[in-house]
Amino acid sequence: MNPKALHKISYGLYIVTSKKGDQINGQVANTVFQISNDPTTVAVSINKQNLTSEFIRDSKVFGVSVLAQEAPLSLIGRFGFKSGRQVDKFAGINYKPGITGVPCLTDHVLACMEAEVIQEVDAGTHHIFIGKVTGAEVLKEGIAMTYAYYHQIKKGTVPQTAPTYTPQKAERMEKMDKYVCNLCGYVYDPATGDPENGIAPDTPFEKLPEDWVCPVCGAGKDEFSKEE
């Protein structure tokens, strides 16, 4: 079996939220899909070890915020690489509660929905929660972020089929080392820099400001290692 075949499956990028009593939590997820239309049901797949899974199993409700393509890496890093057991992920984040009480993010989000769990499926390392949609709202028009866009564009790589691809520049930048964040796996590529944080393309890692941090998880430069 060639596991790379699974990489051809398309995914989106979402923030799945839930609550437990007065507490709220959320996490990044790429497996959210509609199951049926009457009644309208959606399914989410959440790792059993995650706090969000615990919250969903306790409250039997969850929410889904559909991320816009321009959502910053810092937002994805907060909900994807930090644990609600150690930090309040919603501190400083704009959101509103739905009719079930689950939070819906309001910035960098195209739409949100909430659902009541009607079935739970054990899928090994994950729980699949199937929920009946109880509310849904479009917040703004735009392009939804895909998992592929997050990896290929947000993390700096540019495919050869892209109109901005420059072979000469790529050859020059091959001599400049890439660096990998030891905490979250983000790869700093000098060819593209970090435009969201004011770092222009062609900026080598050694020339980054000393106070520059990983745009995904916030780790400092000392937490990066040269890519082998």
Side-chain angles (χ1 to χ4, degrees):
M1 183 181 75
N2 187 350
K4 290 184 178 180
L6 298 174
H7 298 170
K8 304 302 180 183
I9 299 175
S10 298
Y11 299 92
L13 209 62
Y14 316 91
I15 294 181
V16 175
T17 59
S18 191
K19 65 172 187 174
K20 183 177 183 181
D22 295 331
Q23 296 179 287
I24 57 174
N25 193 57
Q27 67 162 79
V28 171
N30 64 5
T31 310
V32 176
F33 52 97
Q34 183 174 350
I35 298 291
S36 63
N37 186 52
D38 186 17
T40 303
T41 58
V42 294
V44 298
S45 179
I46 306 293
N47 192 289
K48 293 177 179 178
Q49 298 181 5
N50 291 359
L51 187 62
T52 302
S53 177
E54 177 186 320
F55 278 28
I56 296 175
R57 300 192 80 192
D58 181 84
S59 64
K60 305 300 182 185
V61 293
F62 63 85
V64 176
S65 296
V66 182
L67 290 176
Q69 194 174 84
E70 71 272 11
L73 285 173
S74 57
L75 178 66
I76 300 170
R78 173 184 290 226
F79 284 91
F81 291 95
K82 298 184 184 297
S83 171
R85 294 184 175 91
Q86 281 82 46
V87 300
D88 178 5
K89 296 184 181 182
F90 284 90
I93 298 294
N94 293 321
Y95 68 92
K96 60 181 180 180
I99 57 177
T100 62
V102 298
C104 170
L105 278 70
T106 56
D107 294 334
H108 311 296
V109 168
L110 301 183
C112 60
M113 61 201 77
E114 54 189 316
E116 297 177 348
V117 176
I118 58 175
Q119 187 176 351
E120 177 184 323
V121 180
D122 189 320
T125 57
H126 288 61
H127 284 125
I128 298 175
F129 299 102
I130 300 175
K132 179 180 179 181
V133 177
T134 57
E137 179 182 3
V138 175
L139 300 184
K140 67 175 183 177
E141 298 300 325
I143 301 175
M145 187 182 300
T146 64
Y147 200 52
Y149 184 89
Y150 168 67
H151 280 287
Q152 297 172 7
I153 306 301
K154 284 288 188 179
K155 300 199 76 173
T157 58
V158 179
Q160 294 187 21
T161 54
T164 55
Y165 178 73
T166 306
Q168 294 83 357
K169 181 177 180 179
E171 290 174 4
R172 184 175 74 252
M173 297 309 294
E174 283 179 357
K175 299 177 182 179
M176 301 177 70
D177 295 317
K178 298 179 182 180
Y179 281 75
V180 182
C181 177
N182 299 326
L183 299 184
C184 72
Y186 168 82
V187 178
Y188 176 77
D189 183 355
T192 51
D194 179 14
E196 287 186 2
N197 294 295
I199 305 300
D202 294 352
T203 302
F205 185 83
E206 295 80 5
K207 297 293 185 180
L208 292 174
E210 288 306 311
D211 59 353
W212 180 84
V213 297
C214 174
V216 175
C217 71
K221 289 178 63 178
D222 59 340
E223 292 290 349
F224 277 72
S225 299
K226 185 184 298 185
E227 185 178 64
E228 297 296 333

